[in-house]
């Protein structure tokens, strides 16, 4: 291949004399030029091949589902239920989840990522809004939750079926209505049929369908997962 490439620039270098083509003269400078041209071409081909191989190896981004809500409504318990393992820290102390935790979920062959965000505190803190050690992390927890909302393809707004609609729930719902992304309401801690009926009040948040669930027992999570998968892009 090299001899052909090097000869091409000099195919017409000879002079015709008496009907006979004179033998081309390959000077050192021309030879160096041909070698450099060949080397540059090989580098270009190598770069193109590497780029294509890299693009083929880059995994596609999985859809992302964000669990958001005020502190201590059971987001971490629901996260663990959806991903099928105990990864997020579960505690009765509000504000335990200070950073986003991401893991993969698989429902009927559809794979997606779930992110457990910190509890959204929508008011200016008065005293100790998240109790114990998390009061000083209010800004960080809010920031993590808002990032989760921004990056998500589907948002699951987790509320507490035991407490009903709170002022904080209404404020968070106002934030979520501003996004064009699908929002599902998961009324957690609906541990028996009576609480399923009570969860109807969360339709008053104006965010669409409400799914009564029990992250502790797994009740209702199948219907929630069906709706999540249906809403994925």
């Amino acid at each position: 291949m090299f001899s052909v490439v090097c000869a091409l620039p000099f195919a017409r270098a000879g002079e015709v004399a008496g009907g006979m083509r004179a033998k081309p003269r390959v000077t050192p400078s021309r030879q160096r030029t041909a070698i450099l041209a060949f080397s540059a071409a090989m580098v270009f081909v190598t770069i193109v091949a590497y780029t294509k191989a890299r693009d083929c190896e880059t995994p596609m981004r999985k859809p992302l589902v964000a669990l958001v809500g005020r502190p201590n409504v059971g987001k971490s318990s629901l996260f663990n239920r959806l991903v099928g393992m105990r990864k997020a820290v579960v505690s009765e102390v509000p504000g335990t989840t200070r950073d986003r935790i991401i893991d993969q979920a698989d429902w009927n062959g559809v794979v997606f990522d779930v992110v457990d965000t910190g509890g959204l505190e929508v008011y200016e803190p008065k005293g100790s809004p998240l109790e114990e050690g998390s009061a000083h992390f209010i800004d960080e927890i809010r920031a993590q939750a808002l990032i989760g909302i921004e990056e998500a393809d589907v948002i699951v707004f987790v509320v507490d079926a035991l407490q009903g609609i709170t002022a904080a729930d209404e404020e968070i719902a106002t934030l979520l209505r501003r996004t064009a992304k699908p929002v599902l309401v998961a009324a957690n801690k609906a541990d028996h049929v009576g609480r399923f009926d009570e969860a109807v009040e969360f339709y008053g948040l104006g965010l669409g369908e409400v799914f009564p669930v029990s992250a502790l027992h797994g009740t209702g999570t199948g219907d929630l997962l069906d709706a999540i998968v249906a809403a994925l892009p």
Side-chain angles (χ1 to χ4, degrees):
M1 179 184 293
F2 177 74
S3 61
V4 174
V5 174
C6 290
L8 286 175
F10 317 116
R12 298 183 180 179
E15 297 178 356
V16 178
M20 298 295 293
R21 183 179 296 275
K23 184 178 180 180
R25 296 179 58 191
V26 180
T27 64
S29 61
R30 288 182 175 179
Q31 190 174 26
R32 285 194 298 271
T33 300
I35 293 174
L36 290 174
F38 177 76
S39 299
M42 291 300 98
V43 170
F44 175 76
V45 170
T46 301
I47 292 174
V48 171
Y50 170 78
T51 302
K52 289 184 177 180
R54 180 196 60 191
D55 292 343
C56 291
E57 293 174 359
T58 301
M60 293 182 62
R61 173 188 176 275
K62 293 188 292 292
L64 181 64
V65 176
L67 306 182
V68 303
R70 59 185 174 83
N72 207 30
V73 293
K75 293 185 299 298
S76 295
S77 296
L78 184 58
F79 173 88
N80 291 336
R81 175 67 62 177
L82 296 182
V83 303
M85 65 179 66
R86 186 182 176 89
K87 185 171 182 179
V89 178
V90 178
S91 171
E92 292 299 320
V93 178
T96 301
T97 304
R98 294 172 179 171
D99 297 315
R100 293 175 298 160
I101 302 173
I102 301 177
D103 207 345
Q104 178 177 287
D106 185 337
W107 183 247
N108 292 333
V110 179
V111 178
F112 54 94
D113 285 332
V114 182
V115 55
D116 175 20
T117 67
L120 271 173
E121 176 62 52
V122 295
Y123 302 107
E124 289 301 320
K126 295 180 180 179
S128 180
L130 298 185
E131 297 183 15
E132 294 189 2
S134 289
H136 300 295
F137 292 89
I138 182 66
D139 291 334
E140 290 85 347
I141 292 174
R142 183 194 293 114
Q144 290 284 352
L146 293 176
I147 291 172
I149 293 173
E150 179 66 24
E151 296 177 348
D153 297 296
V154 176
I155 300 168
V156 176
F157 180 24
V158 186
V159 294
D160 190 331
L162 288 176
Q163 295 185 357
I165 296 177
T166 66
D169 291 330
E170 293 176 342
E171 291 294 328
I172 295 172
T174 299
L175 294 176
L176 295 179
R177 281 194 295 269
R178 297 172 185 169
T179 178
K181 298 176 181 180
V183 179
L184 307 175
V185 180
N188 192 30
K189 305 181 184 179
D191 299 325
H192 55 74
V193 177
R195 290 178 184 167
F196 272 52
D197 296 336
E198 294 170 0
V200 172
E201 73 167 294
F202 290 99
Y203 280 99
L205 294 174
L207 292 172
E209 191 166 2
V210 176
F211 298 87
V213 300
S214 171
L216 180 62
H217 302 294
T219 310
T221 54
D223 291 338
L224 176 62
L225 282 164
D226 285 340
I228 289 173
V229 169
L232 292 176

